[in-house]
Amino acid sequence: MEAEIKKICHQSGCKILEGGSCLESIDVTKDECPHFYADSQNDDVKDENSNDQTKQSTSIKLFTGRELSFNETSIITNRYDSKLIAIVGESKSGKTTLLAEYYINLQKQPIKEYYFAGSMTQTGFEERCFYATVGSKAKKPDTGRTQSREFSFLHLALKHKDELDKEPTHFLISDIWGERFREAKGSTALMQELTILKAADFVLFIIDGEKIATKATRALTIEEAKTFIQKALDENIFDSNTNLKVAVSKWDFLHSDSSFDFADKIKRVFKERFESRLGKIEFTKLAARSENASLEAGYGLYELLKSWKTENINERISDTPEIKQSSSRAFYKYSLPNA
Amino acid sequence: MNKNKISEWHTLSKFSIQNETLDKRQDSIENITQRTEVKFWLDIVRLYIGISVNGKNITDFISAFSGVDDTFPLTKNEKLLKVLAGMVLMSKMELATDSNSNNDDESEEEKAEAETNAPKEEEDENEDVEHGEIAIVISNALVNSIYFGQYKLDSKVPVIETAKAYLGNYSFNQRTSEIDEHEDSLNETANRLSEEEDKLDSSEEETLVKTTQALIKENKLLSEEVNVLWWLFGEYSELAEKYFNEIEDHVMVIIGAKELYDLSQFNSELPAARHILRKAIKASNGNGAKQTSLKLCIDSLSRTLKDKILESNTNSIDILTPCLYALKNSDTKDWQKSIGFSAEEKLNHNGLAMQFYKEIIFINSTN
């Protein structure tokens, strides 16, 4: 009689066996879930009964192409110089859409001079793009939501058209779950868990342009963004090394709105309050999936990518070191910097 | 080396590291830091700046980490090795700095325990000197090798800035005499002897010895200053056997650097070197061009002058001293292709002269 093979889900956080639903809403009875397979420990028990000599699990973790955990990013970071980008913002502000659009655009053609040069997380990108494809049968392009509390990273390698013979630039991009962002605003403990923001070379802070376009939610949306940045500064998650870019997403909602002055309401306000405490603060407008005919789709994506690609994040070397010592000898007083 | 710094540099370099691994890395870094072979450290510099390097030194370096950590990646680890090399270099410079300041801080204690601990002190002093010398070699190699921007320093470990600061402090300390500090003690001793007609006690004898040492150093300082000032005043090059205004400014870039080094009494950069070289180049025969290039300078130099500048250092010159390396290879066919950077890049005369000067100091300090 054939023994029943016990299956379990190997994806952390999935409650399918505890009577909950699949984390990714997949019907596991149709063998479609890549995480739901035979329990290797169960195999071991069976093996032990039949053959005491076999003790070890024979399961091998196959390459999935999904998002990487911070530990798993070592397959990139141990070998290559890489740029870590953390994207933060409220739920549905457009964080994942931004990533999905980069991937979708790169599948069609280079983004101006930047060519797709590989990714270790193509499945992760595909999952985020699924609802923007015909196959999803969605009425209009949408994006899967980031649902994990753990930091996960998508990998994207790009080459400049004039440097195709050189190493690509490797990006590790983490879009932080919107719910986590919301909770961290009001909690010191949860804010301090966002250590990834400290390690990031670039932090992209996305403010939902659709909410700003609605006058009833405009002030609150901007205020909440300021609250988060202030809290991050107070908890030393942001500091003088932080390279922050504040982006207003869904700019197509604001493009024709004369009542909103980006330079005054966003740039001036955020600069005045935070510039002195951050390494750098810059501003941009994005419309990854523009629904406004007068604004091209993918508005702002190229400039953002270019700034990440070109900006040097490593040790900055000054031409002339400061001369700190002072001497009473006239011969050395002659040694003035930059003379 | 501070564990928090190691942790921070790992994080900034995007390496995930657990506490247990961090402890092992710290131990490995500290073990490597104790090494005192110049060739080993120059290979670590090469590893850090991205020059392809293999051999026992690199194997030893990797083994120091992998030997205590089973999870240490042995392949596809190029970036990790570079960052760890940076940390090790920082650790060595830090150790040398600490050794120097400990020497200053502990001078009073050493006086008190002079007799009982004499042999041990001697050993410690030798060790400290070695760390200091290695740190100078490391700092010079780091600062010199990257001049043409030919290496991608993809690290957030502030190695180059630390090396520059170390060189600056070293030069300053070498050229600071403590003669003023001993003046009051000497006056007191002189007054006492005139009244008591007694012998010198041990502390007075020590002050006398230290004052004499300070006088010798002061004499060297003055000698260096006077020689350099006379060189500038006389406007005559002994190497070229010509007055400055008879020498092309492209040639003066290299000759000036060599002659200034020859006039120095110490193995570190003169604090005013940039300005002295500027004055020498200004007095030479320029055609008004504000910029030059390495190729132009080298091509303007006669064979005899090249030999005088390279002297007996030819064998030690490699790509860690890019200008001298180009000069050494300049008689070979296609030498420009072999140096790894463009020799035709337009550069400021003074900046290039300083680079030659620093390289000459470095190459002489390793021999």
Side-chain angles (χ1 to χ4, degrees):
Chain A
M1 187 177 150
E2 197 175 311
E4 191 186 340
I5 298 170
K6 188 185 173 190
K7 290 182 175 180
I8 63 163
C9 184
H10 291 260
Q11 189 173 29
S12 61
C14 184
K15 309 280 186 204
I16 185 83
L17 286 184
E18 296 163 24
S21 57
C22 169
L23 191 65
E24 296 181 19
S25 309
I26 296 172
D27 183 356
V28 293
T29 60
K30 293 180 183 173
D31 285 343
E32 287 175 352
C33 180
H35 305 294
F36 195 73
Y37 50 86
D39 179 10
S40 59
Q41 285 180 341
N42 194 33
D43 290 346
D44 286 349
V45 174
K46 281 196 297 175
D47 289 348
E48 202 174 344
N49 291 336
S50 57
N51 183 356
D52 286 345
Q53 288 178 325
T54 310
K55 298 271 184 190
Q56 286 186 322
S57 165
T58 53
S59 72
I60 299 168
K61 194 175 179 191
L62 297 173
F63 177 72
T64 64
R66 286 168 175 265
E67 309 93 323
L68 303 167
S69 68
F70 192 41
N71 279 343
E72 289 168 336
T73 59
S74 60
I75 57 170
I76 310 291
T77 57
N78 278 353
R79 188 168 197 188
Y80 306 108
D81 190 27
S82 53
K83 295 183 173 184
L84 198 157
I85 298 157
I87 306 179
V88 283
E90 285 184 65
S91 295
K92 299 185 182 178
S93 59
K95 303 181 291 296
T96 311
T97 303
L98 177 74
L99 288 176
E101 282 304 305
Y102 275 129
Y103 187 70
I104 289 168
N105 285 327
L106 282 166
Q107 284 182 320
K108 293 178 201 160
Q109 60 188 10
I111 299 177
K112 294 200 177 173
E113 67 267 33
Y114 299 119
Y115 285 60
F116 177 73
S119 170
M120 302 288 280
T121 56
Q122 276 182 286
T123 314
F125 273 113
E126 288 290 348
E127 285 170 350
R128 282 162 169 78
C129 298
F130 179 69
Y131 293 104
T133 62
V134 176
S136 71
K137 295 175 185 164
K139 286 178 185 169
K140 61 177 190 174
D142 201 354
T143 311
R145 305 280 160 238
T146 310
Q147 293 184 334
S148 172
R149 285 194 69 82
E150 299 306 312
F151 297 119
S152 59
F153 298 84
L154 290 170
H155 168 239
L156 183 63
L158 296 175
K159 282 193 179 191
H160 189 279
K161 72 176 172 58
D162 296 335
E163 297 173 343
L164 295 177
D165 56 334
K166 291 189 178 167
E167 277 290 327
T169 304
H170 294 266
F171 294 103
L172 290 167
I173 313 169
S174 180
D175 52 337
I176 292 166
W177 192 27
E179 192 61 23
R180 194 162 184 180
F181 161 84
R182 191 184 60 76
E183 291 168 358
K185 261 187 324 200
S187 161
T188 296
L190 292 175
M191 178 59 82
Q192 283 175 342
E193 282 179 13
L194 297 180
T195 47
I196 201 70
L197 297 179
K198 219 169 164 53
D201 298 305
F202 304 99
V203 178
L204 179 67
F205 189 97
I206 294 189
I207 305 175
D208 190 340
E210 190 177 355
K211 285 188 177 173
I212 293 181
T214 310
K215 285 182 180 160
T217 52
R218 178 178 294 175
L220 181 66
T221 304
I222 296 173
E223 200 52 43
E224 286 190 337
K226 286 193 280 188
T227 308
F228 180 87
I229 298 174
Q230 186 62 54
K231 183 79 179 166
L233 282 165
D234 293 345
E235 302 303 335
N236 291 323
I237 291 296
F238 286 173
D239 57 25
S240 57
N241 292 315
T242 305
N243 192 339
L244 179 69
K245 186 159 281 194
V246 178
V248 174
S249 64
K250 305 177 195 172
W251 187 250
D252 43 319
F253 285 92
L254 287 157
H255 183 54
S256 318
D257 185 349
S258 57
S259 71
F260 180 71
D261 182 352
F262 179 75
D264 185 56
K265 301 286 182 201
I266 301 290
K267 270 183 158 179
R268 185 188 58 78
V269 170
F270 281 76
K271 259 193 163 187
E272 277 181 6
R273 183 154 167 191
F274 303 117
E275 190 176 34
S276 62
R277 295 180 65 187
L278 293 165
K280 194 173 184 182
I281 183 166
E282 290 180 329
F283 303 87
T284 191
K285 304 164 189 169
L286 301 170
R289 284 183 194 144
S290 174
E291 291 179 16
N292 185 332
S294 62
L295 194 70
E296 58 179 334
Y299 176 77
L301 262 60
Y302 163 72
E303 286 74 16
L304 183 62
L305 189 65
K306 190 178 177 185
S307 70
W308 288 339
K309 175 86 171 67
T310 52
E311 197 163 320
N312 180 27
I313 49 153
N314 293 312
E315 185 182 3
R316 290 178 180 85
I317 299 154
S318 58
D319 291 335
T320 315
E322 272 184 42
I323 296 171
K324 289 172 186 167
Q325 300 93 345
S326 61
S327 171
S328 58
R329 306 181 84 89
F331 192 69
Y332 301 145
K333 283 182 181 171
Y334 178 47
S335 171
L336 297 169
N338 299 321
Chain B
M1 163 155 265
N2 187 313
K3 191 171 157 183
N4 290 338
K5 273 189 194 169
I6 298 175
S7 171
E8 188 188 347
W9 288 329
H10 273 86
T11 307
L12 287 174
S13 305
K14 282 102 76 182
F15 300 132
S16 163
I17 188 164
Q18 307 298 320
N19 258 339
E20 191 188 345
T21 313
L22 186 62
D23 290 338
K24 289 174 182 170
R25 294 261 164 102
Q26 186 184 21
D27 290 345
S28 302
I29 288 170
E30 282 176 0
N31 286 337
I32 296 170
T33 306
Q34 296 305 320
R35 294 191 62 156
T36 50
E37 313 97 291
V38 172
K39 284 185 179 171
F40 172 83
W41 285 103
L42 289 179
D43 274 350
I44 302 302
V45 170
R46 289 184 182 98
L47 179 64
Y48 177 70
I49 61 178
I51 297 173
S52 180
V53 57
N54 292 306
K56 188 177 178 305
N57 289 333
I58 299 305
T59 313
D60 285 356
F61 177 76
I62 296 170
S63 302
F65 293 99
S66 62
V68 294
D69 178 7
D70 293 339
T71 63
F72 191 84
L74 294 172
T75 58
K76 298 179 179 176
N77 57 7
E78 293 87 339
K79 176 73 195 291
L80 178 64
L81 293 182
K82 279 180 87 167
V83 173
L84 289 173
M87 292 187 205
V88 166
L89 292 169
M90 289 285 287
S91 180
K92 189 68 175 179
M93 290 187 276
E94 192 178 90
L95 179 65
T97 308
D98 290 348
S99 300
N100 291 340
S101 54
N102 285 345
N103 279 348
D104 295 343
D105 295 345
E106 289 169 12
S107 59
E108 291 303 318
E109 288 171 31
E110 282 172 3
K111 269 187 235 168
E113 296 175 13
E115 285 178 19
T116 51
N117 291 337
K120 186 176 179 297
E121 274 173 18
E122 199 172 313
E123 272 174 30
D124 288 349
E125 197 174 314
N126 288 338
E127 194 179 307
D128 294 345
V129 167
E130 281 184 349
H131 289 311
E133 283 175 0
I134 297 287
I136 276 294
V137 170
I138 289 171
S139 308
N140 270 314
L142 285 165
V143 172
N144 285 325
S145 57
I146 60 162
Y147 178 70
F148 289 94
Q150 67 274 49
Y151 304 113
K152 191 180 168 204
L153 293 175
D154 45 8
S155 157
K156 285 193 170 175
V157 186
V159 180
I160 303 294
E161 288 300 313
T162 307
K164 283 184 173 182
Y166 189 85
L167 288 175
N169 289 331
Y170 183 78
S171 169
F172 180 80
N173 292 334
Q174 267 202 325
R175 288 177 171 81
T176 306
S177 84
E178 291 163 348
I179 195 155
D180 294 342
E181 292 174 23
H182 303 301
E183 195 175 346
D184 291 342
S185 315
L186 279 178
N187 286 339
E188 279 176 26
T189 305
N191 290 338
R192 187 180 71 76
L193 289 176
S194 65
E195 289 167 11
E196 297 176 10
E197 292 187 2
D198 196 4
K199 285 183 180 175
L200 294 172
D201 63 28
S202 60
S203 70
E204 287 169 336
E205 281 177 348
E206 193 184 343
T207 303
L208 204 59
V209 170
K210 287 193 169 178
T211 309
T212 313
Q213 286 173 330
L215 271 172
I216 293 168
K217 192 174 188 182
E218 188 68 23
N219 189 48
K220 280 174 86 175
L221 288 170
L222 287 170
S223 164
E224 183 176 68
E225 289 175 23
V226 169
N227 288 342
V228 169
L229 292 174
W230 270 113
W231 177 65
L232 275 183
F233 182 74
E235 296 188 3
Y236 183 78
S237 161
E238 287 189 9
L239 277 180
E241 297 175 353
K242 287 176 183 171
Y243 286 100
F244 287 1
N245 64 4
E246 296 169 321
I247 302 169
E248 262 190 88
D249 54 357
H250 310 299
V251 176
M252 196 64 194
V253 163
I254 305 178
I255 288 184
K258 172 65 175 153
E259 293 202 345
L260 184 59
Y261 169 76
D262 289 342
L263 293 166
S264 296
Q265 297 278 340
F266 304 91
N267 65 347
S268 61
E269 184 186 322
L270 260 170
R274 183 176 296 273
H275 314 285
I276 293 161
L277 286 172
R278 177 178 167 274
K279 195 153 181 71
I281 292 167
K282 206 176 169 188
S284 66
N285 182 15
N287 61 3
K290 287 186 176 175
Q291 290 195 305
T292 183
S293 70
L294 180 61
K295 183 179 184 310
L296 200 53
C297 293
I298 288 176
D299 286 349
S300 309
L301 213 61
S302 68
R303 176 72 260 169
T304 319
L305 280 173
K306 280 183 190 177
D307 289 342
K308 282 183 182 175
I309 285 153
L310 292 171
E311 284 187 330
S312 57
N313 294 316
T314 317
N315 290 336
S316 347
I317 293 169
D318 69 1
I319 43 179
L320 289 177
T321 48
C323 290
L324 291 178
Y325 186 62
L327 185 65
K328 174 183 152 180
N329 289 311
S330 61
D331 289 334
T332 59
K333 196 184 173 190
D334 294 334
W335 66 271
Q336 287 188 70
K337 288 181 186 168
S338 67
I339 56 175
F341 57 91
S342 168
E344 298 194 43
E345 186 188 343
K346 291 290 175 201
L347 296 163
N348 177 290
H349 288 85
N350 200 29
L352 193 54
M354 267 307 282
Q355 177 64 16
F356 267 104
Y357 173 63
K358 287 177 182 177
E359 288 185 19
I360 292 167
I361 292 173
F362 169 50
I363 211 70
N364 282 285
S365 71
T366 56
N367 291 335

